[in-house]
Amino acid sequence: MSSSRSGVGALAVTVLSLPFLAACGGGADGKAADTSQDPAAESSSLVVYSGRSEDLIAPLLKDLEKATGAEVEVRYGDSAELAAQLLEEGNRTKADLFFSQDAGALGALGKNGRLAELPQKSLDAVDETFRAEDGTWVGVSGRARVIAYNSDKVKNAPTSVNDLTKPTWKGKVGYAPTNASFQAFVTGMRVMRGDDATRAWLKDFKANEPQVFEKNGAVLDAVDTGKAELGLINHYYWYEKAAEAGEDKLKARLSFPAKGDPGALVNVAGVGILKNTDADATARKAVEFLLSEQAQTYFADETHEYPLAAGVSSKDELPTLDSIGTPEVDLSKLESLDVTLEMLQEAGMV
C-alpha cells in the first residue's frame, strides 16, 4: 500500500504559537452546546479531521462509517497544521474527532483544553505508555524508530543513535530532517535528555556529514542500494518495501536500537474527541471501533504498524513492543515541536 506519510514542515510551529486561541470562538457565535447527555440531539454525522493520509486510511474510515451508522465527513491534512486549525477554530469547530499521525499534535490540543476525556474502557484497551495521562487521547497504532543498514556493507549495525556521531559513520548515514518522524525523535530526545544534550548530539551528528533526503522512503532506498550504509527511518517503511519487492530482494535490514535509547522511540497515531462536539456518542463509538480487532488488524496488515489494542498480532513478525524497550517518554510532551524546529534550524538541518 502506498504511504504518503508527509513531514510536519515549518507550519507546525503554529500549534504552540497560538495557545491563546484555544478559548476563542465560544458564546452565541460558537458551536452548539454540549449535547452528550441528550441522545435526541445527537448529530447523524461525524466530522473527522485526519492527519493520516487518505490513501492509508480511507478504506478503514468506510468501515468506521458502517460501525457507527453515521455519515463520516473527513478533512485530510498535516497533523500539526490541523491541530493549529483546531486551536484557531476553538468552540466554533465543526470537527468531532481528531485522528492524528503523531502524539505531539494531540498533546498540543490536550494542553490547550480542546479535547474531552475519553471513556475509561477505551483508555484501558491500550498500555498507559501509549495514551494521554489526562485521558484525552489514546493511541491506535504504533511505529518504532529503527536504524536501517546495508547488509553487504555493514556487519555490526549500531544499536544506539549515539554511535552515529562516530567517525566510522562519517558521510554514511541517511536521514530526512524535515520529516515529522525525525522531528518527533529529536523532540523525544529533548524530553529524555534535555535541550543541551540534544543540541550537542545534533551538532555532532551534523558535523559527521549525514546524507540528507526529503522522505524516509528515499532514505531506505539509499540504504538498500548502498548509496548510504545506514539510515534513520520508521520500521514500517522496510516492511512495506519487503511486502512489495520480497524480503530476499532487499539488501537493507533493520537494527532496533537498545532498550531506553532515544532512537528506540515508539510514537503513535491516535485519536481524541473534541470538546463541544454535538456527536459525542458517535465519536465514542468511533474510538471504540479504531481499538477493535477489525481496525487493529487493518493497521497490522495494511499499514504495517504496531496494533496497540485488541490482542492483535502483526503478520510481519515484528519484535514485541516490550522487547524494543521504548524510552519512558510522556508522548503528550512531544507537542513542544516549535523548540525542536528552532534547534534544527540552529544546527543547519532545516
Side-chain angles (χ1 to χ4, degrees):
M1 172 176 281
S2 173
S3 58
S4 298
R5 308 180 196 234
S6 63
V8 170
L11 286 176
V13 176
T14 313
V15 172
L16 291 183
S17 64
L18 295 175
F20 65 94
L21 291 171
C24 77
D29 294 330
K31 195 174 181 179
D34 183 4
T35 58
S36 59
Q37 303 304 315
D38 182 4
E42 273 281 330
S43 171
S44 60
S45 64
L46 185 75
V47 178
V48 179
Y49 277 26
S50 176
R52 307 228 64 187
S53 62
E54 184 172 5
D55 62 333
L56 277 177
I57 65 159
L60 182 65
L61 293 185
K62 285 292 184 183
D63 291 336
L64 183 150
E65 195 169 45
K66 295 175 184 177
T68 60
E71 180 181 355
V72 175
E73 178 184 341
V74 188
R75 175 177 177 178
Y76 292 101
D78 175 87
S79 291
E81 292 173 23
L82 288 174
Q85 184 65 37
L86 287 166
L87 288 177
E88 184 177 1
E89 291 172 356
N91 291 340
R92 296 176 291 109
T93 187
K94 295 182 179 180
D96 302 302
L97 189 76
F98 180 41
F99 191 177
S100 178
Q101 171 74 4
D102 68 273
L106 287 161
L109 291 180
K111 178 181 178 181
N112 285 283
R114 295 305 307 137
L115 298 178
E117 188 171 345
L118 295 173
Q120 194 62 43
K121 179 182 177 182
S122 294
L123 295 171
D124 288 344
V126 173
D127 186 278
E128 61 183 9
T129 303
F130 305 117
R131 65 185 197 232
E133 290 183 356
D134 63 3
T136 56
W137 62 263
V138 64
V140 297
S141 64
R143 52 194 182 277
R145 293 294 289 172
V146 293
I147 300 173
Y149 65 95
N150 184 287
S151 57
D152 282 348
K153 297 187 174 185
V154 178
K155 300 308 177 186
N156 295 301
T159 57
S160 172
V161 292
N162 293 334
D163 296 332
L164 305 183
T165 63
K166 295 179 179 179
T168 303
W169 305 113
K170 187 169 185 177
K172 299 177 180 179
V173 183
Y175 80 126
T178 61
N179 188 270
S181 58
F182 178 79
Q183 294 173 1
F185 148 69
V186 174
T187 307
M189 181 183 286
R190 288 181 42 241
V191 173
M192 286 181 63
R193 295 182 171 178
D195 287 357
D196 290 343
T198 302
R199 188 176 288 108
W201 183 87
L202 289 172
K203 179 181 178 181
D204 292 343
F205 182 62
K206 180 67 161 55
N208 223 25
E209 301 177 4
Q211 299 179 36
V212 177
F213 296 89
E214 183 178 352
K215 298 180 179 180
N216 283 305
V219 173
L220 178 58
D221 289 343
V223 172
D224 195 51
T225 60
K227 180 179 179 181
E229 294 187 14
L230 304 176
L232 290 170
I233 61 172
N234 287 337
H235 80 275
Y236 52 74
Y237 287 96
W238 186 90
Y239 286 96
E240 287 178 349
K241 193 174 183 68
E244 294 172 359
E247 181 177 344
D248 60 329
K249 300 292 194 300
L250 301 184
K251 298 294 184 182
R253 292 290 184 269
L254 299 183
S255 172
F256 284 78
K259 183 176 181 178
D261 190 82
L265 179 72
V266 176
N267 202 349
V268 301
V271 289
I273 298 173
L274 274 299
K275 279 188 175 179
N276 302 99
T277 174
D278 56 8
D280 183 74
T282 302
R284 290 177 179 227
K285 287 180 182 178
V287 173
E288 289 180 8
F289 171 76
L290 291 171
L291 296 170
S292 71
E293 182 175 358
Q294 179 182 353
Q296 292 293 295
T297 300
Y298 181 91
F299 293 127
D301 294 350
E302 300 299 327
T303 69
H304 301 278
E305 295 171 285
Y306 277 95
L308 296 180
V312 173
S313 299
S314 173
K315 67 179 182 181
D316 292 319
E317 299 182 357
L318 295 169
T320 65
L321 288 171
D322 287 343
S323 69
I324 289 176
T326 183
E328 295 182 4
V329 173
D330 179 358
L331 294 178
S332 289
K333 293 183 178 179
L334 299 184
E335 50 83 20
S336 58
L337 186 60
D338 58 333
V339 179
T340 297
L341 286 171
E342 289 178 4
M343 199 173 288
L344 291 172
Q345 289 168 354
E346 290 174 6
M349 292 181 169
V350 295

